[in-house]
Amino acid sequence: MLGSDWAIYLAALLGPFVQEDAAVLAAASAGTMGHANPVLMFAVTLVGLAASDVWKYWAGRLAHRSRRASKWVADPRVEAARERVLKRLGVTLLVARFVPGTRMPLYFACGVFKAPFLKFFALMVATGALYIALAFALFATLGRVVGEQVRAYAPFIVIALVATLLGVSWLRARRKAR
């Protein structure tokens, strides 16, 4: 593999730490448009998603050590939310995977709520694989439907999608800060 080939896989591995949706779309584009091995790109992207999601969970577990977090968890409303999340962990993680902006708080909450790690991890990997598979299928289908014409414009489309996702994330963060 050439140096640039490694850069594509490195971006797929580290991209989820910056913006998950953009990383998945870029990986699906690269994998289905012939810029990278699709199987390897899928696997590397899934590893990146898993690593990105696991640190959010463990940050929540470690937050439990603070007095402020312990007091917050003891609140009856938070306790009720904890029970709902833990009782329906699979559905919660599936929804979080497909609704942008919910992953970080829900994965962090799973750690704070002390969701069983192995169950959390298995469900998180399963939903991540489903999400990546759907993105790859979408890009592959678009490629077949539109044909060779899309190959010329695909990089620009992906760049526009990634820029849009990053812009929306930035605007949300800025709006929250106000």
Side-chain angles (χ1 to χ4, degrees), residues 17-160:
F17 286 92
V18 178
Q19 216 297 335
E20 250 182 51
D21 298 319
V24 169
L25 291 176
S29 173
T32 58
M33 299 296 169
H35 300 296
N37 177 306
V39 174
L40 184 56
M41 183 59 78
F42 184 98
V44 168
T45 305
L46 184 57
V47 169
L49 279 181
S52 169
D53 296 342
V54 163
W55 87 260
K56 295 167 191 160
Y57 172 90
W58 284 107
R61 283 297 281 259
L62 291 174
H64 229 289
R65 294 181 178 183
S66 87
R67 253 185 282 162
R68 190 174 185 190
S70 296
K71 187 177 179 181
W72 175 75
V73 172
D75 183 297
R77 293 172 295 184
V78 175
E79 181 61 32
R82 177 188 181 279
E83 293 303 317
R84 286 192 302 273
V85 166
L86 295 181
K87 185 184 281 186
R88 299 179 53 112
L89 188 60
V91 172
T92 300
L93 294 178
L94 183 63
V95 168
R97 178 63 67 194
F98 289 95
V99 178
T102 60
R103 272 177 242 132
M104 184 149 185
L106 276 170
Y107 294 172
F108 183 84
C110 285
V112 170
F113 296 158
K114 295 184 178 179
F117 178 73
L118 290 178
K119 184 175 182 182
F120 169 83
F121 185 76
L123 290 167
M124 181 264 313
V125 169
T127 61
L130 176 63
Y131 183 51
I132 296 167
L134 288 173
F136 270 68
L138 174 68
F139 274 83
T141 301
L142 282 173
R144 279 194 297 274
V145 170
V146 181
E148 289 301 313
Q149 295 167 338
V150 80
R151 289 189 189 271
Y153 299 107
F156 301 109
I157 294 168
V158 170
I159 289 169

Side-chain angles (χ1 to χ4, degrees), residues 5-19:
D5 291 340
W6 284 105
I8 291 172
Y9 295 109
L10 185 61
L13 182 67
L14 300 178
F17 286 92
V18 178
Q19 216 297 335

